[in-house]
Amino acid sequence: FFNDATKTGIAMIGSYAPMIVVMALIGKLTAKFGKKSVLVTAMLIGAVAGVLSLFAPITPDGKGMIVYIICLMGLNIGNAVFQISVWAIVADCIEVSYRKTGKSEEGSLYAIYSFFRKLAQGIGQAAVALGLSAIGFVEGEGAVQPESFGEDVKSLYFVILAIGSLVAFLAMKFIYNIGEKEELEFLQYPADYHNVKVILKSEILEISPDAYLTAGGTVESDKLAYMIQARDYMFMEPRI
């Protein structure tokens, strides 16, 4: 589109600028809003930026290159947040699985993640190939491309990135079910387990557990003490 392959490096560097900003802010953002909320918002911004980029006044000159880089920066906000947060998400999934089943399945969960990541990469490459075919790409050394090919490639690039961001947004919004509440509970579970041990040990030693109980769990310590001492487990969560 710009008829200058040397500008590719500049465009790539510019498109990754959001990564630097996100690295500096991701800790504070996730601490305040939760990983899911931050990811959903970032992916939505990327999808919207992709659609708006299709209508941006990008011309094959220096000014157009600046607009193009700005569009790439908007598109890559979601990607930057995901790339930085993905391992924290994997860790949360492992934690939830352990809390629900009582089994350590890190290897299986990572294998599933790795498989679908490679599957998505394959689908992405196939989508690019199909997209190039749809806009009239001519194969072969020395082949002459259609006159509108440069403009079409630029639009195809934005469309594929926008669709990818939209799919990620929908997945994080409606499929991924570890929200801020669940993330907070990860930090509260140790208090629950501590209180259970205190109550059981105090019962064996025939002493009051009150002085050793701690606050901050998902279940109030006095309610937990009543359920255990009365052997009334009807409203006790299975994980406890």
Side-chain angles (χ1 to χ4, degrees):
F1 178 76
F2 292 102
N3 294 313
D4 187 357
T6 60
K7 294 179 180 178
T8 302
I10 299 175
M12 290 298 294
I13 293 173
S15 68
Y16 279 100
M19 184 77 73
I20 300 174
V21 178
V22 169
M23 287 173 64
L25 300 177
I26 192 67
K28 295 180 179 179
L29 290 173
T30 54
K32 185 172 183 179
F33 302 106
K35 288 188 282 292
K36 178 174 180 175
S37 296
V38 172
L39 277 161
V40 167
T41 302
M43 291 302 180
L44 181 60
I45 291 174
V48 172
V51 174
L52 294 178
S53 296
L54 293 171
F55 305 98
I58 301 176
T59 52
D61 54 24
K63 184 181 294 186
M65 173 59 73
I66 294 174
V67 177
Y68 176 69
I69 292 175
I70 292 174
C71 291
L72 289 180
M73 290 172 66
L75 268 163
N76 278 288
I77 288 176
N79 181 56
V81 173
F82 184 80
Q83 290 294 330
I84 293 174
S85 305
V86 63
W87 293 112
I89 294 173
V90 172
D92 286 349
C93 292
I94 292 171
E95 182 73 14
V96 168
S97 175
Y98 177 74
R99 299 298 180 187
K100 288 183 176 180
T101 67
K103 299 178 181 178
S104 297
E105 300 176 323
E106 295 92 335
S108 298
L109 287 171
Y110 177 76
I112 294 172
Y113 160 74
S114 181
F115 169 76
F116 279 99
R117 181 176 181 177
K118 294 182 185 303
L119 179 63
Q121 290 172 341
I123 293 174
Q125 292 175 358
V128 171
L130 290 172
L132 288 173
S133 177
I135 62 177
F137 174 71
V138 180
E139 297 183 39
E141 185 177 351
V144 179
Q145 304 300 332
E147 185 176 349
S148 62
F149 186 72
E151 177 71 29
D152 293 340
V153 166
K154 174 180 65 67
S155 298
L156 176 66
Y157 185 62
F158 287 139
V159 167
I160 290 178
L161 287 176
I163 291 175
S165 295
L166 179 61
V167 170
F169 163 76
L170 294 174
M172 293 302 302
K173 178 69 175 178
F174 300 107
I175 299 177
Y176 185 73
N177 59 1
I178 304 177
E180 188 174 3
K181 177 178 178 294
E182 290 75 18
E183 292 176 11
L184 178 60
E185 287 179 348
F186 293 160
L187 304 177
Q188 295 176 307
Y189 288 158
D192 289 334
Y193 301 146
H194 167 80
N195 288 338
V196 169
K197 290 188 291 184
V198 166
I199 295 167
L200 291 174
K201 290 180 179 180
S202 298
E203 189 174 276
I204 295 172
L205 297 173
E206 298 181 350
I207 62 174
S208 173
D210 294 347
Y212 305 99
L213 294 174
T214 184
T218 61
V219 183
E220 294 181 16
S221 58
D222 57 340
K223 292 182 179 179
L224 190 60
Y226 169 78
M227 287 188 285
I228 293 175
Q229 292 167 353
R231 298 301 188 266
D232 182 1
Y233 306 123
M234 182 176 294
F235 299 104
M236 184 179 290
E237 293 185 36
R239 64 172 180 81
I240 298 179

